[in-house]
Amino acid sequence: MNNHLKTLRAERGWSQAHLADLLDVSRQTIISIENGKYDPSLPLAFRIARVFEKPIEAIFDEEDAA
Amino acid sequence: MTSDSATADAKRLHPIRASGTLALILLFTFIGAFIAFAFALAEGEDWTLISVLGAGAALMFLLWLRENHMAMSAANAVRPSRTEMRALRMMPVQVVLVLLYVVAVQVSVNYAPGLSGFVKGALQSLPIGLLAGWLVAFVYIIIESDEMVRRMQTIATAMGAGATLVAATGWGLVAMHAGLPDFASVFLFPAFAVFYTLASVWVTRRFA
């Protein structure tokens, strides 16, 4: 799944550590989500949407079918 | 502070440094070897090898502690999350329990036979209680970690347990047909420690 986490984080001037703190996850989790190596669970996706004050669909995209 | 100057400051603060992952690998490998040889030599008098491996395990533990302390106290250090703090608190507990486990096994083999009654029974059953404590700490770390780290640890546990089962069963088949000595079940725990460590490295590279 694609995501715009890195862009949204940069717009707000937040570090990965700060975002991890807001979401109560490890910085490693934020890095893996931004690199597309890990898709968050639904509760975490909702927390991310709440932190950025955007709907989930504005942050996460399904990958295009091949 | 720019990124380059922050990196330079970090290097000046701790010039001699093992990577956190390398320190952890060395730690678990030494502990695994220490336990394995301790059991193998439990009835012998060759304390030299056991002492060297035990000292190596203790040194690797101190190296890991030093690495974590430097990483957390550096000027550019990132404050660990609450879930990471819980894991960092439980890991030394695990290491101490394992070292006490080996000491308890040595005591139960070498000194308990001379005792009798409740004290003898308590001493000889103490090792498994320490191992159970290690397991509780292990499960606690997995449950209290954040979702991605928990997933990584679960995958590493499954891979480590699977590799241990395959290795032990494979050796059992070889021993059955070739008349070689059986794989003693007391070696399953150190074997799992080593396989789990290797699996953790692979899983970390896969997800991180």
Side-chain angles (χ1 to χ4, degrees), chain B residues 16-196:
Chain B
I16 301 171
R17 177 177 179 170
S19 83
T21 304
L22 178 61
L24 207 53
I25 290 171
L26 289 172
L27 175 61
F28 281 120
T29 303
F30 263 87
I31 287 177
F34 175 42
I35 298 171
F37 279 98
F39 277 111
L41 301 171
E43 294 182 12
E45 296 296 325
D46 190 352
W47 288 98
T48 308
L49 184 58
I50 295 176
S51 303
V52 167
L53 289 172
L59 273 172
M60 293 305 110
F61 177 49
L62 292 174
L63 174 67
W64 179 76
L65 276 180
R66 179 172 179 265
E67 162 67 16
N68 271 295
H69 174 71
M70 289 193 302
M72 283 197 278
S73 58
N76 60 342
V78 172
R79 187 169 57 92
S81 67
R82 280 194 289 272
T83 56
E84 285 174 312
M85 287 305 297
R86 288 187 206 116
L88 285 174
R89 270 196 288 270
M90 290 308 288
M91 276 183 178
V93 171
Q94 283 189 297
V95 173
V96 168
L97 282 171
V98 164
L99 294 175
L100 284 176
Y101 167 64
V102 175
V103 169
V105 166
Q106 296 299 318
V107 167
S108 70
V109 168
N110 292 299
Y111 299 107
L115 303 170
S116 61
F118 175 78
V119 176
K120 181 176 188 288
L123 263 180
Q124 290 188 316
S125 63
L126 186 60
I128 197 61
L130 293 165
L131 206 56
W134 178 91
L135 182 62
V136 169
F138 184 65
V139 173
Y140 176 84
I141 290 174
I142 292 177
I143 290 174
E144 292 295 326
S145 296
D146 77 2
E147 57 179 63
M148 195 199 76
V149 175
R150 185 166 56 241
R151 181 178 172 183
M152 287 167 55
Q153 289 170 336
T154 303
I155 293 174
T157 302
M159 290 175 66
T164 304
L165 288 171
V166 166
T169 306
W171 181 258
L173 291 169
V174 168
M176 194 163 64
H177 296 297
L180 293 169
D182 289 329
F183 183 84
S185 58
V186 290
F187 291 112
L188 286 174
F189 178 61
F192 171 75
V194 174
F195 284 127
Y196 172 80

Side-chain angles (χ1 to χ4, degrees), chain A residues 17 21 26 29 32 37-38 41, chain B residues 78-79 146-148 207-208:
Chain A
D21 220 20
S26 63
T29 300
S32 296
K37 291 195 175 183
Y38 177 71
S41 66
Chain B
V78 172
R79 187 169 57 92
D146 77 2
E147 57 179 63
M148 195 199 76
F207 282 99

Side-chain angles (χ1 to χ4, degrees), chain A residues 8-21:
Chain A
L8 291 168
R9 184 173 58 78
E11 282 172 5
R12 286 155 180 76
W14 292 347
S15 64
Q16 289 173 333
H18 180 64
L19 180 58
D21 220 20

Side-chain angles (χ1 to χ4, degrees), chain A residues 2 62-66:
Chain A
N2 298 320
E62 274 186 283
E63 285 171 335
D64 293 335

Side-chain angles (χ1 to χ4, degrees), chain A residues 10-55:
Chain A
E11 282 172 5
R12 286 155 180 76
W14 292 347
S15 64
Q16 289 173 333
H18 180 64
L19 180 58
D21 220 20
L22 290 175
L23 297 169
D24 196 23
V25 296
S26 63
R27 191 166 72 102
Q28 195 174 1
T29 300
I30 300 299
I31 294 170
S32 296
I33 294 174
E34 289 185 355
N35 291 339
K37 291 195 175 183
Y38 177 71
D39 292 330
S41 66
L42 203 52
L44 180 55
F46 272 108
R47 290 210 307 272
I48 291 172
R50 198 159 41 240
V51 158
F52 286 112
E53 295 175 335
K54 287 189 179 295

Side-chain angles (χ1 to χ4, degrees), chain B residues 1-14 74-77:
Chain B
M1 184 182 278
T2 65
S3 171
D4 286 345
S5 61
T7 306
D9 278 350
K11 285 180 182 169
R12 273 201 294 276
L13 283 168
H14 34 86
N76 60 342

